[in-house]
């Protein structure tokens, strides 16, 4: 039996384990928490009124797995067999070692990170340089570009690579596992920045409004067309989409509302709602404008939003949140009591803002103290989150008894 088959067998066994059944019970089951990339973004199956602690989840950067498992990133994104082996190794290691609430599923997402959408549009991408996928900084759009009305996705050079990669993984695992073909999840602004260039597109916003809208119109059209093509290619219905917007904070809230919100709302309407709106940047000032989108299932308050309360105050209506904690600041380089103080602040902010469903999540962990020590701190942090939530629950129970 091959190593991959052994890993698949172990995954099958653990998927049916009592611990995984516990974890799965915490999440809504009508839509998978595995999105257009490999991390879990689930929606809690209950609210704070249940008096149960809200879920806690963890995640690490690939540098952790380079050290802990010998992951070779130059092969991970170019060799389907190698990708599958190490995706399974990472997935199983996290489930067995991280006693958080992230469940195991039989989903295996094929993902090429931030390069995916730009790659479809012709940007040169780099997958074998030993780091996360990246793309050329050379702009492929200028003032004289004439955008095509449509793209032949089946013959697209980049997608031919993706289709081959996906097909090999799918053949390896068989019908029992759900191999996920890459989604389009980058928002219009990010894709526009990548194909036009950060400096050039930023200047366009002030100096060339016509070109700005032409680029955004093209990107939005291609996003819709790709999603439609993907649906037909896989014979799958179009699901609620995601919007990944790491670059939103480099623009003002006013510019977001003027230039990007209308295109995001168009995609929201096309998808029949946004499942996960994400940004790693500090979007505190942008929250009121972002929350004008008509339907967001899970709203990410990312690692750069140190004070979650200010973002919560900007919400226009009740909202399920993923509250991400920057691992280095609040897990690796601080004491346990400092970690708990920060968690208490998050829980208090949610209570004050009447947030009834949320996920507390560690994010961005890289090697800082040494991989084993870092992972020990992460596993202890999960316990700290539960201890803090238990404090609040016990306090509430005492209050109700009085």
């Amino acid at each position: 039996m091959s190593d991959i088959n052994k890993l698949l067998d172990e995954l099958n066994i653990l998927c049916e384990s009592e611990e995984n059944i516990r974890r799965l019970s915490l999440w809504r089951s009508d839509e998978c928490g595995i999105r257009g990339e490999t991390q879990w973004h689930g929606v809690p199956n209950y609210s704070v009124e249940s008096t149960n602690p809200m879920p806690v989840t963890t995640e690490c950067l690939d540098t952790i797995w380079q050290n802990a498992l010998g992951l070779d990133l130059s092969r991970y994104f170019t060799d389907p067999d190698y990708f599958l082996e190490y995706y399974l190794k990472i997935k199983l290691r996290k489930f067995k070692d991280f006693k958080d609430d992230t469940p195991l599923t039989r989903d295996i997402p094929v993902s090429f990170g931030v390069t995916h959408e730009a790659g479809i549009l012709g940007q040169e991408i780099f997958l074998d340089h030993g780091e996360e996928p990246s793309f050329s900084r050379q702009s492929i759009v200028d003032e004289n570009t004439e955008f095509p009305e449509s793209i032949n996705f089946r013959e697209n050079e980049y997608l031919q690579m993706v289709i081959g990669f996906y097909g090999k993984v799918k053949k390896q695992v068989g019908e029992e596992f759900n191999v996920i073909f890459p989604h389009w999840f980058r928002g219009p602004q990010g894709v526009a920045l990548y194909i036009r260039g950060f400096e050039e597109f930023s200047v366009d916003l002030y100096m060339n409004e016509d070109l700005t809208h032409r680029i955004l119109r093209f990107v939005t059209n291609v996003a819709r067309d790709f999603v439609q093509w993907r649906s037909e290619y896989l014979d799958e219905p179009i699901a609620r989409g995601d919007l990944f917007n790491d670059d939103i904070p480099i623009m003002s809230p006013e510019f977001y509302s003027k230039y990007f919100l209308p295109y995001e709302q168009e995609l929201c309407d096309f998808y029949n709602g946004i499942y996960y709106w994400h940004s790693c940047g500090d979007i505190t000032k942008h929250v009121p404008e972002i929350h004008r989108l008509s339907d967001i299932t899970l709203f990410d308050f990312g690692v750069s939003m140190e004070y979650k309360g200010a973002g919560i105050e900007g919400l226009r209506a009740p909202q399920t949140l993923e509250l991400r904690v920057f691992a280095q600041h609040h897990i690796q380089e601080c004491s346990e009591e400092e970690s708990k103080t920060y968690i208490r602040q998050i829980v208090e902010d949610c209570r004050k803002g009447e947030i009834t469903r949320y996920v507390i999540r560690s994010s961005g962990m890289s090697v800082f103290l040494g991989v084993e020590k870092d992972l020990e701190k992460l596993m202890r942090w999960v316990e700290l989150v539960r201890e803090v939530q238990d404090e609040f629950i016990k306090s509430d129970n005492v209050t109700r008894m009085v």
Side-chain angles (χ1 to χ4, degrees):
M1 180 181 290
S2 71
D3 288 343
I4 288 177
N5 285 336
K6 291 177 182 177
L7 293 168
L8 291 171
D9 285 347
E10 184 177 3
L11 175 59
N12 261 331
I13 293 169
L14 290 176
C15 277
E16 302 303 323
S17 66
E18 183 176 340
E19 170 61 14
N20 198 48
I21 292 170
R22 179 197 72 80
R23 297 190 191 191
L24 286 169
S25 71
L26 305 180
W27 306 97
R28 265 180 25 185
S29 59
D30 56 341
E31 193 155 11
C32 182
I34 297 292
R35 311 303 302 164
E37 37 84 63
T38 58
Q39 299 182 12
W40 174 266
H41 303 290
V43 174
N45 194 34
Y46 55 93
S47 68
V48 293
E49 284 86 353
S50 69
T51 70
N52 293 315
M54 301 309 294
V56 52
T57 61
T58 59
E59 198 51 72
C60 300
L61 297 180
D62 286 335
T63 52
I64 290 287
W65 307 118
Q66 286 176 298
N67 284 266
L69 296 175
L71 173 66
D72 180 357
L73 288 176
S74 66
R75 295 183 62 191
Y76 190 65
F77 298 101
T78 58
D79 181 339
D81 290 344
Y82 187 86
F83 159 80
L84 178 58
E85 178 184 350
Y86 274 84
Y87 175 76
L88 293 170
K89 285 181 176 179
I90 294 168
K91 191 180 184 86
L92 293 168
R93 173 74 180 269
K94 288 191 294 187
F95 181 79
K96 291 186 287 187
D97 286 2
F98 300 174
K99 305 304 182 184
D100 67 343
D101 297 318
T102 306
L104 277 181
T105 71
R106 292 179 174 85
D107 300 295
I108 301 173
V110 172
S111 174
F112 299 96
V114 300
T115 64
H116 177 61
E117 296 81 7
I120 293 173
L121 296 178
Q123 194 85 7
E124 182 182 10
I125 66 171
F126 309 107
L127 301 176
D128 60 355
H129 58 313
E131 299 177 7
E132 291 280 343
S134 60
F135 49 81
S136 170
R137 300 299 179 183
Q138 183 67 38
S139 171
I140 61 172
V141 169
D142 61 28
E143 296 87 341
N144 300 314
T145 298
E146 294 189 14
F147 298 107
E149 291 187 7
S150 63
I151 291 178
N152 187 332
F153 296 109
R154 189 63 180 87
E155 296 184 7
N156 182 274
E157 182 178 353
Y158 167 80
L159 284 176
Q160 286 181 332
M161 179 276 294
V162 173
I163 289 169
F165 196 105
Y166 164 82
K168 290 178 181 178
V169 175
K170 192 170 179 65
K171 184 176 180 180
Q172 276 272 45
V173 303
E175 295 299 320
E176 191 173 3
F177 297 87
N178 176 36
V179 182
I180 301 175
F181 191 89
H183 288 269
W184 185 292
F185 60 91
R186 191 68 42 184
Q189 181 225 21
V191 182
L193 284 165
Y194 303 162
I195 64 174
R196 172 67 173 136
F198 280 73
E199 182 177 342
E200 292 87 347
F201 188 71
S202 299
V203 172
D204 291 339
L205 289 170
Y206 291 93
M207 305 297 293
N208 198 334
E209 185 171 335
D210 177 68
L211 178 60
T212 296
H213 281 294
R214 284 178 56 220
I215 295 171
L216 292 170
R217 176 77 274 148
F218 170 67
V219 167
T220 303
N221 287 349
V222 175
R224 292 174 55 181
D225 290 347
F226 173 80
V227 170
Q228 185 65 51
W229 171 82
R230 182 187 182 278
S231 172
E232 294 169 359
Y233 175 70
L234 300 171
D235 192 24
E236 294 179 359
I238 295 174
R240 294 165 73 87
D242 301 326
L243 284 173
F244 279 51
N245 280 302
D246 291 340
D247 307 298
I248 285 293
I250 69 175
M251 310 298 178
S252 69
E254 293 75 20
F255 271 38
Y256 169 79
S257 181
K258 177 180 179 180
Y259 286 107
F260 311 124
L261 179 62
Y263 296 99
E264 293 197 355
Q265 183 60 56
E266 184 177 326
L267 290 173
C268 180
D269 293 339
F270 176 73
Y271 293 132
N272 290 316
I274 299 302
Y275 178 86
Y276 181 55
W277 198 104
H278 161 93
S279 181
C280 286
D282 185 352
I283 59 167
T284 302
K285 295 180 180 179
H286 299 73
V287 167
E289 296 304 312
I290 297 167
H291 215 220
R292 288 170 59 192
L293 285 167
S294 60
D295 190 353
I296 303 174
T297 300
L298 182 64
F299 195 172
D300 171 37
F301 278 15
V303 292
S304 299
M305 293 179 70
E306 278 289 299
Y307 176 45
K308 312 298 185 186
I312 291 172
E313 290 172 4
L315 294 170
R316 296 172 177 266
Q319 176 66 59
T320 302
L321 298 177
E322 184 180 75
L323 302 156
R324 289 193 295 129
V325 173
F326 184 35
Q328 182 172 329
H329 290 172
H330 299 292
I331 300 176
Q332 293 164 289
E333 64 181 15
C334 67
S335 67
E336 288 192 3
E337 190 52 46
E338 288 170 327
S339 284
K340 293 178 76 169
T341 297
Y342 188 66
I343 299 163
R344 287 190 191 100
Q345 184 65 59
I346 290 175
V347 176
E348 288 172 357
D349 289 340
C350 287
R351 289 180 163 226
K352 181 180 177 181
E354 299 181 344
I355 303 300
T356 61
R357 292 176 194 253
Y358 58 88
V359 182
I360 299 177
R361 174 182 178 82
S362 71
S363 195
M365 175 170 277
S366 187
V367 179
F368 181 70
L369 302 171
V371 65
E372 295 305 324
K373 183 65 175 177
D374 290 325
L375 292 178
E376 286 176 11
K377 295 269 282 187
L378 182 58
M379 288 180 268
R380 175 59 181 148
W381 179 82
V382 172
E383 296 174 346
L384 298 178
V385 174
R386 291 185 174 135
E387 289 174 11
V388 168
Q389 293 199 77
D390 284 345
E391 291 173 8
F392 281 90
I393 292 169
K394 290 177 182 177
S395 176
D396 288 343
N397 288 337
V398 169
T399 301
R400 279 192 290 270
M401 291 176 63
V402 173

